[in-house]
Amino acid sequence: MTDPEDLAERVREGELRIHELEDHADYDTAAEARRLLVERETGTELEAIGDYAFPAERADPNIENMIGAAQVPMGVVGPVPVSGGAADGEHYLPLATTEGALLASVNRGLSVIRAADGADARVTKNGMTRAPVFRVDGVAEAAETVDWVEGNFEALREAAESTTSHGELLDIEPYVVGDSVYLRFAYDTKDAMGMNMATIATGEACELVESETPASLVALSGNLCSDKKPAAVNAVEGRGRSVTADVQIPGELVEERLHTTADAIAEANTRKNLIGSAKAGSLGFNAHAANVVGAAFLATGQDEAQVVEAANTITTMDARKREDGTTDLYASVSLASLEVGTVGGGTKLPTQAEALEILGLKGGGDPAGSNADALAEIIAVGALAGELSLLGALSSRHLASAHEDLGR
């Protein structure tokens, strides 16, 4: 058996490169050797980082130069009551976070939603995008390229779909800026988040564009996708799954559970989430939707950097008068770009796979795409619960005292 001490020393002496250790030892030994090297170079003990509970080989598709694992506390909220296009019934939602009071807040919101007979949720649009940028000589060649693309969608779809047995090309939206042509490809990636799938498929289609038009590919991603950045195009057109959840809560329930009124929450939402966000120039018009999305992403193996796009969320709260003179609260969240999957990527890691099993959504659904749709709907209802709870705390002036009571 290869000695990790020996491997670490050989790296220090320059005989081996740190990223080549798996060529000389099994994955766990290679990770231990790197960890020993880092300990000696930095004078830091890495006992907790090295105490991980899965074979390092399982993480090989997900990380390079592995030395251990980051352990984030995981809890559960729920059950989440949802009537969705794909999700139905009650589901426990695992959340991984280091923010104290978050799960307590979401659970409070969920208790209100349950008492109001649950929330509705629907995925309204689905399309993972990749937008390459091409160079042309000028506007005339740009128009020629766009005309060819629009007239040859079927040929481009055949080229793109030749690279995958699951993805489907849905649309190509052209954008012209001077001598630059951007083509925003959108795909149905079924139960995969699908970023790699979209990239590979688009690369194949780009070869056809170059062979048939004056355009020359500059970059396979031209940032009109737009991946892992705040972008208005995603807020308007969507990326991944666009999903909305809503609930109508009787006024007496708002007063009993949230200790405020429907009118007060609606006003707080308008002045904070709508006017305040507009004044700030924000792309997200919500209180903290990314909080729930980020915790769900960490728990279920999603690409955590795409939380920034999920923050493109609009929260609405409306006080609705009933015929008997009482006032209900209508609440909704609309997430324009929620990029989730239940197959591929980090969803295959043991911890994250178990979290998806809690939801009953591990692996591909039947029909294809239904598990990822269901995950999007459940996360949306979780985000709605978080918005309700925080706006209730703000409008009742209980936010600071709640954190004090929980010791945070």
Side-chain angles (χ1 to χ4, degrees):
M1 182 176 178
T2 307
D3 182 9
E5 295 268 2
D6 177 63
L7 285 176
E9 189 60 32
R10 291 173 66 186
V11 171
R12 292 186 71 183
E13 293 177 356
E15 295 179 15
L16 291 177
R17 295 182 179 181
I18 195 168
H19 62 273
E20 296 175 338
L21 293 183
E22 281 86 359
D23 296 336
H24 301 270
D26 65 83
Y27 287 84
D28 287 295
T29 301
E32 184 179 356
R34 291 192 192 93
R35 193 164 60 251
L36 289 170
L37 177 68
V38 173
E39 286 181 336
R40 291 167 184 175
E41 293 291 325
T42 65
T44 305
E45 290 189 10
L46 304 178
E47 182 179 354
I49 290 175
D51 187 18
Y52 53 93
F54 56 90
E57 186 174 2
R58 294 284 296 274
D60 182 56
N62 305 100
I63 196 166
E64 300 78 41
N65 292 348
M66 180 174 166
I67 64 171
Q71 299 177 74
V72 180
M74 186 186 299
V76 66
V77 296
V80 180
V82 54
S83 174
D88 192 44
E90 296 192 337
H91 304 263
Y92 285 98
L93 175 61
L95 299 177
T97 184
T98 58
E99 181 180 348
L102 175 60
L103 272 74
S105 177
V106 175
N107 260 332
R108 184 172 82 132
L110 287 173
S111 74
V112 176
I113 292 173
R114 279 197 301 275
D117 297 326
D120 291 322
R122 295 293 188 278
V123 172
T124 56
K125 190 175 182 181
N126 178 16
M128 176 51 67
T129 60
R130 179 52 87 201
V133 56
F134 297 83
R135 179 198 314 112
V136 293
D137 281 347
V139 174
E141 285 193 357
E144 180 183 346
T145 300
V146 169
D147 287 345
W148 185 89
V149 168
E150 291 179 339
N152 291 273
F153 178 80
E154 289 303 322
L156 289 165
R157 179 162 65 182
E158 183 178 347
E161 293 180 6
S162 71
T163 66
T164 173
S165 58
H166 301 291
E168 295 180 19
L169 180 62
L170 302 174
D171 186 40
I172 307 171
E173 184 70 25
Y175 297 83
V176 174
V177 182
D179 61 356
S180 295
V181 176
Y182 300 82
L183 300 176
R184 194 170 191 257
F185 288 71
Y187 298 85
D188 181 353
T189 55
K190 308 305 179 184
D191 283 304
M193 182 271 283
M195 189 69 267
N196 290 339
M197 185 190 301
T199 299
I200 294 168
T202 301
E204 190 71 17
C206 285
E207 292 186 12
L208 183 58
V209 173
E210 283 194 297
S211 69
E212 298 293 335
T213 75
S216 297
L217 181 67
V218 175
L220 191 51
S221 173
N223 271 13
L224 256 171
C225 310
S226 174
D227 190 35
K228 302 174 184 176
K229 291 165 283 292
V233 70
N234 291 339
V236 175
E237 296 293 337
R239 187 168 195 261
R241 283 166 167 82
S242 299
V243 57
T244 294
D246 68 1
V247 65
Q248 185 155 325
I249 305 167
E252 58 269 22
L253 189 59
V254 174
E255 295 179 13
E256 175 188 339
R257 298 292 182 89
L258 297 176
H259 312 296
T260 183
T261 65
D263 286 309
I265 289 182
E267 180 182 11
N269 185 71
T270 298
R271 296 185 185 276
K272 170 186 169 60
N273 286 343
L274 305 185
I275 300 173
S277 296
K279 179 63 175 175
S282 176
L283 290 179
F285 288 68
N286 61 85
H288 69 148
N291 235 344
V292 176
V293 173
F297 273 25
L298 286 174
T300 60
Q302 312 304 314
D303 189 332
E304 65 273 14
Q306 290 175 331
V307 172
V308 68
E309 293 147 81
N312 282 336
T313 297
I314 298 176
T315 297
T316 70
M317 300 279 175
D318 183 31
R320 293 186 174 180
K321 300 291 184 183
R322 291 193 298 194
E323 291 182 359
D324 62 4
T326 59
T327 303
D328 289 350
L329 176 68
Y330 172 81
S332 79
V333 290
S334 297
L335 293 83
S337 43
L338 184 63
E339 294 142 327
V340 294
T342 58
V343 300
T347 66
K348 296 185 292 185
L349 292 170
T351 300
Q352 288 73 18
E354 287 182 5
L356 287 169
E357 286 180 345
I358 291 172
L359 286 155
L361 299 176
K362 179 185 174 184
D366 185 15
S370 58
N371 274 3
D373 281 350
L375 179 60
E377 291 170 353
I378 294 166
I379 291 174
V381 176
L384 176 61
E387 295 291 279
L388 279 167
S389 185
L390 179 52
L391 287 167
L394 288 167
S395 60
S396 65
R397 304 187 182 184
H398 287 164
L399 180 63
S401 61
H403 280 270
E404 288 174 356
D405 289 345
L406 289 170
R408 276 85 174 189

